[in-house]
């Protein structure tokens, strides 16, 4: 017998992996070409060109063939040398986590850490850079999904650039869902992927690399080569005339091609707007129901993930199980420091549509009531609809 909790969910509203667009799923079903076939090499070059356009880069991006955690670890391994002094900016679980990779490649690690419902203050970065002129590399997570908060990376990037440092940006769950590009924030390595706001499955890393970062990585004798962690090996793999370091993920490239087409055809500004509207409606509904947003202020709340604080006395895991079993809606838990303290509701790719706020509020409110935390579902839906109607 198949119990309801084991049935396929009706709606997946997680912070990743997210639902893929139907067109992307069809793209994954295209013929798997031989990677040395001239047709595939030409096709691959075209996909990189589309990624360059979407990321608004002046040079070619790199595609690594593994989900973006590969790109983040590769960035640490390739750019950071034992002589570098690294400043890691930690406003959440993922930002904190990058520090562990940085420490592996350099013993000289400094950190600015804030409570995980707050954002990094650029003034604190400026003060740290002034106090420690020896800092050479700065790392920051733009959107820390386990907290649903966003850091001001453009302001931070301007400070790092003026200091002469190298900036590593984790934009995995922000690119494509809000206005952010590698050169806007003066990133030297900017890591993202198609498996969040672009509405494709996990399996690839998209990476912007500055010219000065290429020089630094190639001069680093300890940077990985002939390795899954190598960035350097893929510098020219975009060209139809260059061999791949190893077999690329052909089906994932097929899917990425479609995802980029959808993003560029709809128009980035329009995509960002529907992400922002969906999240704004969700926050209004959550507040009207009598619940609290995890982020310390609305100004740092993410347009791609809404983190809802778990009320005292409610078991967060049981809450999510009830939402799935009773309503067929799947949410994400917190991670690490935020596990059990909040529930994450994703607005990414195809689910970044205002209608999904109604399903999310219904499932969240119903699950809360089941858990003994009485909330006003009707008021929440009315507040969300008011936001949506005001935008019409």
């Amino acid at each position: 017998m198949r119990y309801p909790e084991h049935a396929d969910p009706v709606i997946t509203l997680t912070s990743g992996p997210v639902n893929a667009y139907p067109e992307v799923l069809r793209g994954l079903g295209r013929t798997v070409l031989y990677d040395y076939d001239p047709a595939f090499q030409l096709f691959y070059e075209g996909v990189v060109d589309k990624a360059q356009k979407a990321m608004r880069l002046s040079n070619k991006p790199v595609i690594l063939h593994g989900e973006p955690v590969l790109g983040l670890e590769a960035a640490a391994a390739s750019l950071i040398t034992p002589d570098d002094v690294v400043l890691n900016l930690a406003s959440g679980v993922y930002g904190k986590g990058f520090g562990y990779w940085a420490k592996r490649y350099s013993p000289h690690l400094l950190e600015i850490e804030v409570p995980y419902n707050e954002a990094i203050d650029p003034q604190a970065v400026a003060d740290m850079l002034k106090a420690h002129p020896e800092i050479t590399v700065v790392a920051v997570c733009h959107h820390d999904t386990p907290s649903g908060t966003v850091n001001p990376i453009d302001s931070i990037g301007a400070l790092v650039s003026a200091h002469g440092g190298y900036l590593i940006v984790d934009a995995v769950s922000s690119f494509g869902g809000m206005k952010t590009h590698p050169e806007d924030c003066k990133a030297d390595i900017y890591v993202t992927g198609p498996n969040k706001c672009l509405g494709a499955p996990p399996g690839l890393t998209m990476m912007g690399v500055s010219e000065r970062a290429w020089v630094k990585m190639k001069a680093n004798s300890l940077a990985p080569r002939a390795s899954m962690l190598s960035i350097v090996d893929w510098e020219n793999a975009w060209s139809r005339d260059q061999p791949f370091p190893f077999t690329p993920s052909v089906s994932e490239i097929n899917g990425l091609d479609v995802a980029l087409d959808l993003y560029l055809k709809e128009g980035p500004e329009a995509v960002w707007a529907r992400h922002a509207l969906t999240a704004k409606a969700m926050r209004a509904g959550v507040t009207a129901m009598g619940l609290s947003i995890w982020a310390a202020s609305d100004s740092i709340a993410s347009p791609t993930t809404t983190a809802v604080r778990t009320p005292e006395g409610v078991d967060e895991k049981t809450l999510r199980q009830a939402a799935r079993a009773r309503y067929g809606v799947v949410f994400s838990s917190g991670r690490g420091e935020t596990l059990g303290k909040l529930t994450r509701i994703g607005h990414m790719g195809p689910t970044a549509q205002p209608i999904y706020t109604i399903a999310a509020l219904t499932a969240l409110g119903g699950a809360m009531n089941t858990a003994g935390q009485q909330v006003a579902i009707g008021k929440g839906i009315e507040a969300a609809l008011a936001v949506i109607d005001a935008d019409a």
Side-chain angles (χ1 to χ4, degrees):
M1 180 176 179
R2 200 178 193 203
Y3 294 94
E5 61 266 28
H6 297 147
D8 291 338
V10 177
I11 302 174
T12 300
L13 299 178
T14 63
S15 56
V18 304
N19 281 352
Y21 290 105
E23 296 92 334
V24 171
L25 294 177
R26 289 195 291 272
L28 291 168
R30 292 175 181 169
T31 300
V32 177
L33 293 173
Y34 173 51
D35 59 329
Y36 279 90
D37 188 303
F40 180 75
Q41 291 177 310
L42 180 62
F43 172 67
Y44 190 93
E45 183 175 313
V47 174
V48 173
D49 287 345
K50 291 176 187 178
Q52 180 180 6
K53 183 177 180 180
M55 297 173 77
R56 300 185 181 179
L57 280 164
S58 56
N59 62 357
K60 299 293 183 184
V62 171
I63 297 175
L64 296 183
H65 296 265
E67 72 98 25
V69 71
L70 168 67
L72 292 167
E73 187 172 358
S78 300
L79 194 70
I80 298 172
T81 73
D83 295 328
D84 280 311
V85 177
V86 181
L87 173 60
N88 188 51
L89 307 179
S91 60
V93 175
Y94 291 159
K96 182 72 172 180
F98 189 87
Y100 304 133
W101 280 324
K103 188 75 171 177
R104 184 185 302 167
Y105 301 105
S106 172
H108 314 295
L109 180 68
L110 300 171
E111 202 158 60
I112 296 174
E113 186 170 8
V114 299
Y116 288 2
N117 66 334
E118 297 181 6
I120 300 293
D121 182 354
Q123 186 59 53
V125 178
D127 293 344
M128 182 69 87
L129 293 173
K130 183 177 180 180
H132 295 276
E134 69 275 17
I135 291 170
T136 51
V137 177
V138 178
V140 61
C141 180
H142 186 201
H143 170 217
D144 219 305
T145 45
S147 300
T149 54
V150 177
N151 282 311
I153 57 170
D154 288 4
S155 298
I156 291 169
L159 292 167
V160 176
S161 177
H163 179 77
Y166 294 82
L167 180 65
I168 299 173
V169 173
D170 172 351
V172 175
S173 57
S174 59
F175 175 76
M178 61 188 88
K179 187 180 185 299
T180 175
H181 305 97
E183 293 176 9
D184 291 348
C185 61
K186 303 183 187 302
D188 291 287
I189 296 186
Y190 181 99
V191 180
T192 189
N195 54 307
K196 300 282 188 175
C197 302
L198 292 181
L204 297 174
T205 295
M206 297 161 60
M207 182 179 289
V209 181
S210 72
E211 294 302 333
R212 64 197 295 263
W214 281 120
V215 172
K216 189 176 192 303
M217 289 190 295
K218 286 187 281 188
N220 179 11
S221 62
L222 298 177
R225 291 166 171 81
S227 164
M228 282 290 289
L229 286 176
S230 177
I231 299 173
V232 173
D233 289 353
W234 287 87
E235 180 183 11
N236 297 310
W238 60 268
S239 172
R240 72 189 78 175
D241 300 319
Q242 297 292 323
F244 297 108
F246 55 79
T247 304
S249 302
V250 176
S251 292
E252 295 291 343
I253 293 296
N254 288 339
L256 174 60
D257 178 58
V258 178
L260 291 169
D261 280 344
L262 292 173
Y263 179 70
L264 293 169
K265 181 179 179 180
E266 182 176 352
E269 288 76 9
V271 177
W272 307 335
R274 63 177 168 84
H275 279 78
L277 176 60
T278 304
K280 183 179 179 181
M282 188 69 206
R283 293 194 301 270
V286 166
T287 302
M289 282 201 304
L291 299 170
S292 300
I293 300 300
W294 177 261
S297 70
D298 197 65
S299 64
I300 64 169
S302 168
T304 63
T305 298
T306 298
V308 181
R309 187 179 294 273
T310 305
E312 192 71 31
V314 172
D315 181 79
E316 197 276 332
K317 182 178 180 180
T318 301
L319 179 76
R320 283 183 292 103
Q321 288 175 335
R324 190 187 195 285
R326 295 171 64 89
Y327 301 95
V329 177
V330 179
F331 301 133
S332 292
S333 62
R335 291 285 179 92
E337 295 281 331
T338 65
L339 182 63
K341 299 176 182 178
L342 56 83
T343 300
R344 292 180 292 161
I345 301 160
H347 324 294
M348 299 183 188
T351 58
Q353 297 285 358
I355 187 62
Y356 285 104
T357 63
I358 309 306
L361 290 166
T362 301
L364 179 66
M368 284 286 182
N369 290 339
T370 299
Q373 181 74 29
Q374 296 304 305
V375 298
I377 301 175
K379 288 185 178 179
I381 292 174
E382 286 177 6
L385 289 173
V387 170
I388 296 167
D389 289 343
D391 186 76

